[in-house]
Coordinates of all heavy atoms in Angstrom, one line a residue:
M34 N 0.9 -1.2 0.1 CA 0.1 0.0 0.0 C 0.9 1.2 0.1 O 1.7 1.3 0.8 CB -0.9 -0.1 1.3 CG -1.4 1.2 1.6 SD -2.5 1.2 3.2 CE -1.3 1.2 4.5
P35 N 0.8 2.1 -1.1 CA 1.5 3.3 -1.0 C 1.0 4.3 0.1 O -0.1 4.4 0.4 CB 1.3 3.9 -2.4 CG 0.0 3.3 -2.9 CD -0.2 2.0 -2.1
E36 N 2.0 4.9 0.8 CA 1.7 5.8 1.7 C 1.1 7.2 1.3 O 0.4 7.8 2.0 CB 2.9 6.1 2.7 CG 3.2 4.9 3.7 CD 4.2 5.2 4.6 OE1 4.5 6.4 5.0 OE2 5.0 4.4 5.0
D37 N 1.6 7.6 0.3 CA 1.2 8.8 -0.5 C 1.1 8.8 -1.9 O 1.7 7.8 -2.5 CB 2.0 10.0 0.1 CG 3.5 9.8 -0.2 OD1 3.9 8.9 -1.1 OD2 4.2 10.5 0.4
G38 N 0.5 9.8 -2.6 CA 0.4 9.8 -4.1 C -0.7 8.9 -4.6 O -1.7 8.6 -3.8
A39 N -0.6 8.5 -5.8 CA -1.7 7.8 -6.5 C -1.9 6.5 -5.7 O -1.0 5.8 -5.5 CB -1.5 7.6 -7.9
G40 N -3.1 6.2 -5.5 CA -3.4 4.9 -4.8 C -3.3 4.8 -3.3 O -3.6 3.8 -2.7
A41 N -2.8 5.9 -2.8 CA -2.7 5.9 -1.2 C -4.1 6.1 -0.6 O -5.0 6.8 -1.2 CB -1.7 7.1 -0.8
P42 N -4.4 5.5 0.5 CA -5.6 5.5 1.2 C -5.8 6.9 1.7 O -4.7 7.6 2.1 CB -5.6 4.5 2.2 CG -4.2 4.2 2.6 CD -3.4 4.5 1.2
T43 N -6.9 7.4 1.9 CA -7.2 8.7 2.5 C -7.0 8.7 3.9 O -7.0 7.5 4.6 CB -8.8 9.2 2.2 OG1 -9.6 8.2 2.9 CG2 -9.0 9.3 0.6
L44 N -6.9 9.7 4.7 CA -6.8 9.7 6.1 C -8.0 9.2 6.8 O -7.9 8.3 7.7 CB -6.5 11.2 6.6 CG -6.2 11.2 8.2 CD1 -5.0 10.4 8.5 CD2 -5.9 12.8 8.5
D45 N -9.2 9.5 6.2 CA -10.4 8.9 6.8 C -10.4 7.4 6.6 O -10.9 6.6 7.5 CB -11.7 9.6 6.1 CG -11.9 10.9 6.5 OD1 -11.5 11.3 7.4 OD2 -12.8 11.5 5.7
S46 N -9.9 6.8 5.5 CA -9.9 5.4 5.3 C -8.9 4.7 6.3 O -9.2 3.7 6.8 CB -9.4 5.1 3.8 OG -9.3 3.7 3.7
I47 N -7.8 5.4 6.4 CA -6.8 4.9 7.4 C -7.4 4.9 8.8 O -7.2 3.7 9.6 CB -5.5 5.7 7.4 CG1 -4.8 5.6 6.0 CG2 -4.7 5.3 8.7 CD1 -3.7 6.5 6.0
E48 N -8.0 5.8 9.2 CA -8.7 5.9 10.5 C -9.8 4.9 10.7 O -9.9 4.3 11.8 CB -9.0 7.3 10.9 CG -7.9 8.2 11.1 CD -8.3 9.6 11.4 OE1 -9.4 10.1 11.2 OE2 -7.3 10.3 11.8
S49 N -10.5 4.7 9.6 CA -11.6 3.6 9.6 C -11.0 2.3 9.8 O -11.5 1.4 10.6 CB -12.5 3.7 8.4 OG -13.4 2.8 8.4
T50 N -10.1 2.0 9.1 CA -9.3 0.7 9.1 C -8.8 0.5 10.5 O -8.8 -0.6 11.1 CB -8.2 0.6 8.1 OG1 -8.8 0.9 6.8 CG2 -7.4 -0.7 8.1
L51 N -8.0 1.5 11.1 CA -7.6 1.4 12.4 C -8.7 1.0 13.5 O -8.5 0.2 14.3 CB -6.8 2.7 12.9 CG -5.5 2.9 12.4 CD1 -5.0 4.3 12.7 CD2 -4.6 1.9 13.1
T52 N -9.9 1.7 13.3 CA -11.0 1.4 14.2 C -11.4 0.0 14.0 O -11.6 -0.6 15.1 CB -12.3 2.4 13.9 OG1 -11.8 3.8 14.1 CG2 -13.3 2.1 14.7
D53 N -11.6 -0.3 12.8 CA -11.9 -1.8 12.6 C -10.9 -2.7 13.2 O -11.3 -3.8 13.7 CB -12.2 -2.1 11.2 CG -13.3 -1.3 10.4 OD1 -14.2 -0.9 11.3 OD2 -13.4 -1.3 9.2
G54 N -9.6 -2.4 12.9 CA -8.6 -3.2 13.5 C -8.6 -3.3 15.1 O -8.4 -4.3 15.6
Y55 N -8.8 -2.2 15.6 CA -8.8 -2.3 17.1 C -10.1 -3.1 17.6 O -10.1 -3.8 18.6 CB -8.9 -0.9 17.7 CG -7.6 -0.2 17.6 CD1 -7.4 1.0 17.0 CD2 -6.4 -0.8 18.0 CE1 -6.2 1.8 16.9 CE2 -5.2 -0.1 17.9 CZ -5.1 1.1 17.4 OH -3.9 1.8 17.2
A56 N -11.3 -3.0 16.9 CA -12.4 -3.8 17.3 C -12.1 -5.3 17.1 O -12.4 -6.0 18.0 CB -13.5 -3.5 16.4
E57 N -11.3 -5.6 16.1 CA -10.9 -7.0 15.8 C -10.0 -7.4 17.0 O -10.0 -8.6 17.6 CB -10.3 -7.3 14.4 CG -9.8 -8.7 14.2 CD -11.1 -9.7 14.2 OE1 -12.2 -9.2 13.9 OE2 -10.8 -10.8 14.3
A58 N -9.0 -6.6 17.3 CA -8.2 -6.8 18.4 C -8.8 -7.2 19.7 O -8.6 -8.1 20.5 CB -7.1 -5.8 18.6
L59 N -9.8 -6.3 20.0 CA -10.6 -6.6 21.2 C -11.4 -7.9 21.2 O -11.5 -8.6 22.3 CB -11.7 -5.4 21.4 CG -11.1 -4.1 21.9 CD1 -12.1 -2.9 21.8 CD2 -10.4 -4.3 23.3
A60 N -12.0 -8.2 20.1 CA -12.6 -9.5 19.8 C -11.7 -10.7 20.1 O -12.0 -11.6 20.7 CB -13.3 -9.6 18.4
L61 N -10.4 -10.6 19.6 CA -9.5 -11.7 19.7 C -9.0 -11.7 21.2 O -8.8 -12.9 21.7 CB -8.3 -11.3 18.9 CG -8.3 -11.7 17.4 CD1 -7.1 -11.1 16.6 CD2 -8.4 -13.3 17.2
E62 N -8.9 -10.6 21.9 CA -8.5 -10.7 23.3 C -9.8 -11.3 24.1 O -9.5 -12.0 25.1 CB -8.3 -9.3 23.8 CG -6.9 -8.7 23.3 CD -6.6 -7.3 23.6 OE1 -7.6 -6.6 24.1 OE2 -5.5 -6.8 23.3
A63 N -10.9 -11.1 23.7 CA -12.1 -11.6 24.3 C -12.0 -13.1 24.1 O -12.4 -13.9 25.0 CB -13.4 -11.1 24.0
E64 N -11.7 -13.5 23.0 CA -11.7 -15.0 22.7 C -10.6 -15.6 23.5 O -10.8 -16.7 23.9 CB -11.4 -15.2 21.2 CG -11.3 -16.5 20.8 CD -12.5 -17.5 20.9 OE1 -13.5 -16.9 21.1 OE2 -12.3 -18.7 20.7
R65 N -9.4 -15.0 23.6 CA -8.3 -15.5 24.4 C -8.8 -15.8 25.8 O -8.5 -16.7 26.4 CB -7.2 -14.5 24.4 CG -6.3 -14.5 23.1 CD -5.0 -13.7 23.4 NE -4.1 -14.6 24.1 CZ -3.9 -14.5 25.4 NH1 -4.4 -13.6 26.1 NH2 -2.9 -15.3 26.0
T66 N -9.5 -14.6 26.3 CA -10.1 -14.8 27.7 C -11.1 -16.0 27.9 O -11.0 -16.8 28.9 CB -10.8 -13.5 28.2 OG1 -9.9 -12.4 28.0 CG2 -11.2 -13.5 29.5
R67 N -11.9 -16.2 26.9 CA -12.8 -17.4 27.0 C -12.1 -18.6 27.0 O -12.4 -19.5 27.6 CB -13.9 -17.2 25.8 CG -14.9 -16.1 26.0 CD -16.1 -16.2 24.9 NE -15.6 -16.0 23.6 CZ -15.5 -14.7 23.0 NH1 -15.8 -13.6 23.7 NH2 -15.0 -14.7 21.8
I68 N -11.1 -18.7 26.1 CA -10.3 -20.1 26.0 C -9.6 -20.2 27.2 O -9.5 -21.4 27.8 CB -9.2 -19.9 24.8 CG1 -10.0 -19.9 23.4 CG2 -8.3 -21.1 24.7 CD1 -9.2 -19.5 22.2
E69 N -8.9 -19.2 27.9 CA -8.3 -19.4 29.1 C -9.2 -19.7 30.2 O -8.7 -20.7 31.1 CB -7.4 -18.1 29.5 CG -6.2 -17.8 28.6 CD -5.7 -16.4 28.7 OE1 -6.3 -15.6 29.4 OE2 -4.4 -16.3 28.4
R70 N -10.2 -19.2 30.2 CA -11.4 -19.6 31.3 C -11.7 -21.1 31.1 O -11.7 -21.8 32.1 CB -12.5 -18.7 31.1 CG -13.7 -18.9 32.3 CD -14.7 -18.1 32.1 NE -14.4 -16.7 32.0 CZ -15.0 -15.9 30.9 NH1 -15.7 -16.4 29.9 NH2 -14.5 -14.7 30.9
R71 N -12.0 -21.5 29.8 CA -12.2 -22.9 29.6 C -11.1 -23.8 29.9 O -11.3 -24.9 30.5 CB -12.9 -23.1 28.1 CG -13.2 -24.4 27.8 CD -14.3 -24.9 28.6 NE -14.6 -26.2 28.5 CZ -15.2 -27.0 29.3 NH1 -15.7 -26.6 30.3 NH2 -15.3 -28.3 29.1
L72 N -9.8 -23.4 29.7 CA -8.8 -24.2 30.0 C -8.8 -24.4 31.6 O -8.5 -25.6 32.1 CB -7.5 -23.5 29.7 CG -7.0 -23.8 28.3 CD1 -5.9 -22.6 27.9 CD2 -6.5 -25.1 28.0
G73 N -9.1 -23.5 32.3 CA -9.1 -23.6 33.7 C -10.3 -24.5 34.2 O -10.1 -25.3 35.1
E74 N -11.4 -24.4 33.6 CA -12.5 -25.3 33.9 C -12.1 -26.8 33.6 O -12.5 -27.7 34.4 CB -13.7 -24.8 33.0 CG -14.4 -23.6 33.5 CD -15.4 -22.9 32.4 OE1 -15.6 -23.7 31.4 OE2 -16.0 -22.0 32.7
V75 N -11.6 -27.0 32.4 CA -11.2 -28.3 32.1 C -10.2 -28.9 33.1 O -10.4 -30.0 33.6 CB -10.7 -28.4 30.6 CG1 -10.1 -29.8 30.3 CG2 -11.7 -28.0 29.6
A76 N -9.2 -28.1 33.4 CA -8.3 -28.5 34.4 C -8.8 -28.8 35.8 O -8.6 -29.7 36.4 CB -7.1 -27.6 34.5
R77 N -9.7 -28.0 36.2 CA -10.5 -28.1 37.4 C -11.3 -29.4 37.5 O -11.4 -30.0 38.4 CB -11.2 -26.8 37.8 CG -11.8 -26.9 39.1 CD -12.9 -25.7 39.4 NE -14.0 -25.6 38.5 CZ -14.3 -24.7 37.5 NH1 -13.5 -23.6 37.4 NH2 -15.3 -24.8 36.8
D78 N -12.0 -29.6 36.4 CA -13.0 -30.8 36.3 C -12.4 -32.0 35.8 O -13.1 -33.0 35.5 CB -14.2 -30.3 35.5 CG -14.9 -29.1 36.1 OD1 -14.8 -28.8 37.2 OD2 -15.6 -28.5 35.3
A79 N -11.0 -32.2 35.6 CA -10.4 -33.3 35.0 C -10.7 -34.4 35.6 O -10.7 -35.4 34.9 CB -8.9 -32.9 34.9
G80 N -10.8 -34.6 36.9 CA -11.2 -35.8 37.6 C -12.5 -36.3 37.3 O -12.8 -37.5 37.7
E81 N -13.5 -35.6 36.8 CA -14.7 -35.9 36.5 C -15.1 -36.7 35.1 O -16.2 -37.1 35.0 CB -15.7 -34.8 36.8 CG -15.6 -34.2 38.1 CD -16.4 -32.9 38.2 OE1 -17.3 -32.7 37.4 OE2 -16.3 -32.2 39.2
V82 N -14.1 -36.5 34.2 CA -14.3 -37.0 32.9 C -13.0 -37.9 32.6 O -12.1 -37.9 33.3 CB -14.5 -36.0 31.9 CG1 -15.8 -35.3 32.1 CG2 -13.3 -35.0 31.8
S83 N -13.0 -38.6 31.4 CA -12.0 -39.5 31.1 C -10.7 -38.7 30.7 O -10.8 -37.6 30.2 CB -12.4 -40.4 29.9 OG -12.4 -39.5 28.6
A84 N -9.6 -39.2 31.0 CA -8.3 -38.7 30.7 C -8.2 -38.3 29.2 O -7.6 -37.3 28.9 CB -7.2 -39.5 31.2
H85 N -8.7 -39.3 28.4 CA -8.6 -39.0 26.9 C -9.4 -37.7 26.5 O -9.0 -37.0 25.8 CB -9.1 -40.2 26.1 CG -9.2 -40.0 24.7 ND1 -7.9 -40.0 23.9 CD2 -10.1 -39.9 23.8 CE1 -8.3 -39.8 22.7 NE2 -9.6 -39.7 22.6
S86 N -10.6 -37.6 27.1 CA -11.4 -36.5 26.8 C -10.8 -35.2 27.2 O -10.8 -34.2 26.5 CB -12.8 -36.7 27.4 OG -13.6 -35.5 27.3
V87 N -10.3 -35.1 28.5 CA -9.6 -34.1 29.0 C -8.3 -33.6 28.1 O -8.2 -32.5 27.7 CB -9.1 -34.3 30.5 CG1 -8.1 -33.2 30.9 CG2 -10.3 -34.5 31.4
A88 N -7.6 -34.7 27.7 CA -6.3 -34.4 26.9 C -6.7 -33.8 25.5 O -6.1 -32.9 25.1 CB -5.6 -35.7 26.7
A89 N -7.7 -34.4 24.9 CA -8.3 -34.0 23.6 C -8.7 -32.5 23.7 O -8.3 -31.7 22.9 CB -9.4 -34.8 23.1
E90 N -9.5 -32.1 24.7 CA -10.1 -30.8 24.9 C -8.8 -29.8 25.2 O -8.9 -28.7 24.6 CB -11.1 -30.6 25.9 CG -11.8 -29.3 25.9 CD -13.1 -29.1 26.6 OE1 -13.5 -30.1 27.3 OE2 -13.6 -28.1 26.5
L91 N -7.9 -30.1 26.1 CA -6.8 -29.2 26.5 C -6.0 -29.2 25.1 O -5.6 -28.0 24.9 CB -5.9 -29.9 27.5 CG -6.7 -29.9 28.9 CD1 -5.7 -30.7 30.0 CD2 -6.9 -28.5 29.4
S92 N -5.8 -30.1 24.3 CA -5.1 -29.9 23.1 C -5.7 -28.9 22.2 O -5.1 -28.1 21.6 CB -4.8 -31.3 22.5 OG -4.1 -31.2 21.2
E93 N -7.0 -29.1 22.0 CA -7.7 -28.3 21.1 C -7.8 -26.8 21.6 O -7.5 -25.9 20.8 CB -9.2 -28.7 20.9 CG -10.0 -27.9 20.0 CD -11.3 -27.4 20.4 OE1 -11.9 -28.0 21.5 OE2 -11.9 -26.5 19.9
L94 N -7.9 -26.6 22.9 CA -8.0 -25.3 23.4 C -6.5 -24.6 23.4 O -6.4 -23.5 23.1 CB -8.3 -25.2 25.0 CG -9.8 -25.7 25.2 CD1 -10.1 -26.0 26.7 CD2 -10.7 -24.5 24.7
S95 N -5.5 -25.4 23.5 CA -4.2 -24.9 23.4 C -3.9 -24.4 22.0 O -3.4 -23.4 21.8 CB -3.1 -26.0 23.9 OG -1.9 -25.6 23.6
E96 N -4.4 -25.2 21.1 CA -4.1 -24.8 19.7 C -4.9 -23.5 19.4 O -4.5 -22.6 18.6 CB -4.6 -25.9 18.7 CG -3.7 -27.2 18.8 CD -4.3 -28.3 17.8 OE1 -5.2 -28.2 17.2 OE2 -3.7 -29.4 18.1
R97 N -6.2 -23.5 19.8 CA -6.9 -22.3 19.6 C -6.4 -21.1 20.3 O -6.3 -19.9 19.6 CB -8.4 -22.4 20.1 CG -9.2 -23.4 19.4 CD -10.7 -23.5 20.0 NE -11.3 -22.3 20.3 CZ -12.3 -22.3 21.2 NH1 -12.8 -23.4 21.8 NH2 -12.9 -21.1 21.5
L98 N -5.8 -21.3 21.5 CA -5.1 -20.1 22.1 C -3.8 -19.7 21.3 O -3.6 -18.4 21.1 CB -4.8 -20.5 23.6 CG -4.1 -19.5 24.4 CD1 -5.1 -18.2 24.6 CD2 -3.8 -20.0 25.8
D99 N -3.1 -20.6 20.8 CA -2.0 -20.3 20.0 C -2.3 -19.6 18.8 O -1.6 -18.6 18.4 CB -1.2 -21.6 19.5 CG -0.4 -22.2 20.7 OD1 -0.1 -21.5 21.8 OD2 0.1 -23.3 20.6
R100 N -3.4 -20.1 18.1 CA -3.9 -19.3 17.0 C -4.3 -17.8 17.2 O -3.9 -16.9 16.6 CB -5.0 -20.0 16.3 CG -4.7 -21.1 15.4 CD -5.7 -21.6 14.4 NE -6.9 -21.9 15.1 CZ -7.2 -23.1 15.7 NH1 -6.3 -24.1 15.6 NH2 -8.3 -23.4 16.3
A101 N -5.1 -17.7 18.3 CA -5.5 -16.3 18.7 C -4.3 -15.5 19.0 O -4.2 -14.3 18.7 CB -6.5 -16.4 20.0
D102 N -3.3 -16.0 19.7 CA -2.1 -15.2 20.1 C -1.5 -14.8 18.9 O -0.9 -13.8 18.7 CB -1.2 -16.1 21.0 CG -1.6 -16.3 22.4 OD1 -2.4 -15.3 22.9 OD2 -1.2 -17.1 23.1
G103 N -1.2 -15.7 17.8 CA -0.6 -15.4 16.7 C -1.3 -14.4 15.9 O -0.7 -13.4 15.3
E104 N -2.6 -14.5 15.8 CA -3.4 -13.4 15.0 C -3.4 -12.1 15.7 O -3.2 -11.2 15.0 CB -4.8 -14.0 15.0 CG -5.1 -15.1 14.0 CD -6.6 -15.6 14.0 OE1 -7.5 -14.7 14.3 OE2 -6.8 -16.7 13.9
L105 N -3.4 -12.1 17.0 CA -3.4 -10.9 17.8 C -2.0 -10.3 17.6 O -1.9 -9.1 17.4 CB -3.7 -11.1 19.3 CG -4.0 -10.0 20.2 CD1 -5.1 -9.0 19.5 CD2 -4.3 -10.4 21.6
S106 N -0.9 -11.0 17.7 CA 0.4 -10.5 17.5 C 0.6 -9.8 16.0 O 1.1 -8.6 15.9 CB 1.3 -11.5 17.7 OG 2.8 -11.0 17.5
R107 N 0.1 -10.6 15.1 CA 0.1 -10.0 13.7 C -0.8 -8.8 13.5 O -0.3 -7.8 13.0 CB -0.3 -11.2 12.8 CG -0.3 -10.9 11.2 CD -0.8 -11.9 10.4 NE -2.2 -12.1 10.6 CZ -3.2 -11.3 10.1 NH1 -2.8 -10.3 9.3 NH2 -4.5 -11.6 10.3
L108 N -1.9 -8.8 14.1 CA -2.7 -7.6 14.0 C -2.1 -6.4 14.7 O -2.2 -5.3 14.1 CB -4.1 -8.0 14.5 CG -5.2 -6.8 14.5 CD1 -5.5 -6.4 13.1 CD2 -6.5 -7.4 15.0
R109 N -1.7 -6.6 15.8 CA -1.0 -5.5 16.6 C 0.1 -4.9 15.8 O 0.4 -3.6 15.7 CB -0.6 -5.9 17.9 CG -1.6 -6.1 18.9 CD -1.1 -6.6 20.3 NE -2.3 -6.6 21.2 CZ -2.2 -7.4 22.3 NH1 -1.1 -8.1 22.6 NH2 -3.3 -7.3 23.2
G110 N 0.9 -5.7 15.1 CA 2.0 -5.3 14.2 C 1.5 -4.4 13.0 O 2.1 -3.4 12.8
L111 N 0.5 -4.9 12.4 CA -0.2 -4.1 11.3 C -0.8 -2.8 11.8 O -0.5 -1.9 11.2 CB -1.1 -5.0 10.6 CG -0.7 -6.2 9.9 CD1 -1.9 -7.2 9.4 CD2 0.1 -5.7 8.6
L112 N -1.4 -2.9 13.0 CA -2.0 -1.7 13.5 C -1.0 -0.6 13.8 O -1.2 0.6 13.6 CB -2.9 -1.9 14.7 CG -4.2 -2.7 14.5 CD1 -4.8 -3.1 15.7 CD2 -5.1 -1.8 13.7
H113 N 0.2 -1.1 14.4 CA 1.3 -0.2 14.6 C 1.9 0.5 13.4 O 2.0 1.6 13.3 CB 2.5 -1.0 15.4 CG 3.7 -0.1 15.7 ND1 3.7 0.8 16.6 CD2 4.8 0.0 14.9 CE1 4.8 1.5 16.5 NE2 5.5 1.0 15.6
K114 N 2.0 -0.3 12.4 CA 2.5 0.2 11.1 C 1.5 1.3 10.5 O 1.9 2.4 9.9 CB 2.7 -0.8 10.1 CG 4.0 -1.7 10.4 CD 4.0 -3.0 9.4 CE 5.2 -3.8 9.7 NZ 5.2 -4.8 8.8
L115 N 0.2 1.0 10.6 CA -0.8 1.9 10.1 C -0.8 3.2 10.9 O -1.0 4.2 10.5 CB -2.0 1.2 10.1 CG -3.2 1.8 9.3 CD1 -2.7 2.1 7.9 CD2 -4.5 1.0 9.3
Q116 N -0.7 3.1 12.3 CA -0.5 4.2 13.1 C 0.5 5.0 12.6 O 0.5 6.4 12.7 CB -0.3 3.9 14.7 CG -1.6 3.3 15.2 CD -1.2 2.9 16.6 OE1 0.0 2.8 17.2 NE2 -2.3 2.5 17.4
V117 N 1.7 4.6 12.3 CA 2.8 5.3 11.9 C 2.4 6.1 10.6 O 2.7 7.3 10.4 CB 4.1 4.4 11.6 CG1 5.2 5.2 11.0 CG2 4.5 4.0 12.9
V118 N 1.8 5.4 9.7 CA 1.3 6.1 8.4 C 0.3 7.2 8.8 O 0.4 8.3 8.2 CB 0.6 4.9 7.5 CG1 0.0 5.7 6.2 CG2 1.6 4.0 7.0
R119 N -0.6 7.0 9.6 CA -1.5 8.0 10.0 C -0.8 9.2 10.6 O -1.1 10.3 10.3 CB -2.5 7.5 11.1 CG -3.5 8.5 11.4 CD -4.6 8.0 12.4 NE -3.9 7.7 13.7 CZ -4.5 7.2 14.8 NH1 -5.8 7.0 14.8 NH2 -3.8 7.0 15.8
R120 N 0.1 9.0 11.5 CA 0.9 10.1 12.1 C 1.5 11.0 11.0 O 1.5 12.3 11.0 CB 1.8 9.6 13.1 CG 1.3 9.4 14.5 CD 2.3 9.3 15.6 NE 3.1 8.0 15.6 CZ 2.6 6.9 16.1 NH1 1.5 6.8 16.7 NH2 3.4 5.7 16.0
R121 N 2.2 10.2 10.1 CA 2.9 11.0 9.1 C 1.9 11.7 8.2 O 2.2 12.8 7.7 CB 3.7 10.0 8.2 CG 4.9 9.5 8.8 CD 5.7 8.5 7.8 NE 6.6 7.7 8.4 CZ 7.0 6.5 8.1 NH1 6.4 5.9 7.2 NH2 8.0 5.9 8.9
R122 N 0.8 11.1 7.8 CA -0.2 11.8 7.0 C -0.9 12.9 7.7 O -0.9 14.1 7.1 CB -1.3 10.7 6.8 CG -2.4 11.3 5.7 CD -1.9 11.4 4.4 NE -1.6 10.2 3.7 CZ -2.4 9.4 3.2 NH1 -3.6 9.5 3.1 NH2 -1.8 8.3 2.7
R123 N -1.1 12.9 9.0 CA -1.5 14.0 9.7 C -0.6 15.2 9.8 O -0.9 16.3 9.7 CB -1.9 13.6 11.2 CG -3.3 12.9 11.3 CD -3.7 12.8 12.7 NE -5.0 12.2 12.9 CZ -5.6 11.8 13.9 NH1 -4.7 11.8 15.1 NH2 -6.8 11.3 13.9
A124 N 0.7 14.8 10.0 CA 1.8 15.8 10.1 C 2.0 16.5 8.7 O 2.3 17.6 8.7 CB 3.1 15.2 10.4
A125 N 1.7 15.8 7.7 CA 1.8 16.4 6.4 C 0.6 17.2 5.8 O 0.7 17.9 4.8 CB 2.1 15.2 5.4
T126 N -0.5 17.0 6.5 CA -1.9 17.6 6.2 C -1.9 19.0 6.8 O -1.7 19.1 8.1 CB -3.0 16.8 6.6 OG1 -2.9 15.5 6.0 CG2 -4.3 17.5 6.3
P127 N -2.1 20.1 6.0 CA -2.2 21.5 6.5 C -3.4 21.6 7.4 O -4.4 21.0 7.1 CB -2.1 22.3 5.4 CG -2.4 21.4 4.0 CD -2.2 20.1 4.5
A128 N -3.2 22.3 8.5 CA -4.4 22.5 9.3 C -5.5 23.4 8.7 O -5.1 24.3 7.8 CB -4.0 23.2 10.6
S129 N -6.8 23.1 8.8 CA -7.8 23.8 8.2 C -8.2 25.1 9.0 O -8.3 25.0 10.1 CB -9.1 23.0 8.0 OG -8.7 21.7 7.6

């Protein structure tokens, strides 16, 4: 994505994308919290169900948590880069 010139997004577009990105980051953080809560529940209730069932659910939850962590990390990196572009664009825009 070009930062300026032809094909560059408008400042409004950048800010809208940042807003959407932050909303997605919040959703990913909420998903992480749900997964972590479920991990605790499974561990706490492990004696009440089969070991195979517990191991399978713990494995699936762990994979989901890893994916959410990766997506969140990638998204935060992209949002940071876009913030830099926004700051540059604002600095270059004459005050009205």
Side-chain angles (χ1 to χ4, degrees):
M34 159 179 80
E36 287 188 27
D37 52 20
T43 64
L44 185 56
D45 286 343
S46 175
I47 291 169
E48 289 177 350
S49 177
T50 301
L51 281 168
T52 299
D53 292 346
Y55 287 126
E57 182 63 22
L59 287 172
L61 283 167
E62 288 172 354
E64 176 66 8
R65 284 189 79 261
T66 299
R67 286 189 293 274
I68 294 167
E69 288 172 339
R70 185 178 311 121
R71 183 62 189 148
L72 280 166
E74 291 169 356
V75 171
R77 184 185 63 238
D78 299 338
E81 299 173 15
V82 293
S83 75
H85 177 72
S86 175
V87 169
E90 187 167 4
L91 288 174
S92 176
E93 184 225 339
L94 290 168
S95 177
E96 288 173 14
R97 286 177 51 200
L98 188 58
D99 285 346
R100 275 194 308 273
D102 282 343
E104 289 177 32
L105 190 55
S106 178
R107 184 183 63 79
L108 181 57
R109 285 180 176 156
L111 292 171
L112 289 170
H113 175 74
K114 289 177 184 179
L115 195 53
Q116 284 176 352
V117 170
V118 171
R119 180 182 64 180
R120 276 194 288 275
R121 287 182 190 148
R122 183 69 63 84
R123 280 187 173 169
T126 303
S129 315

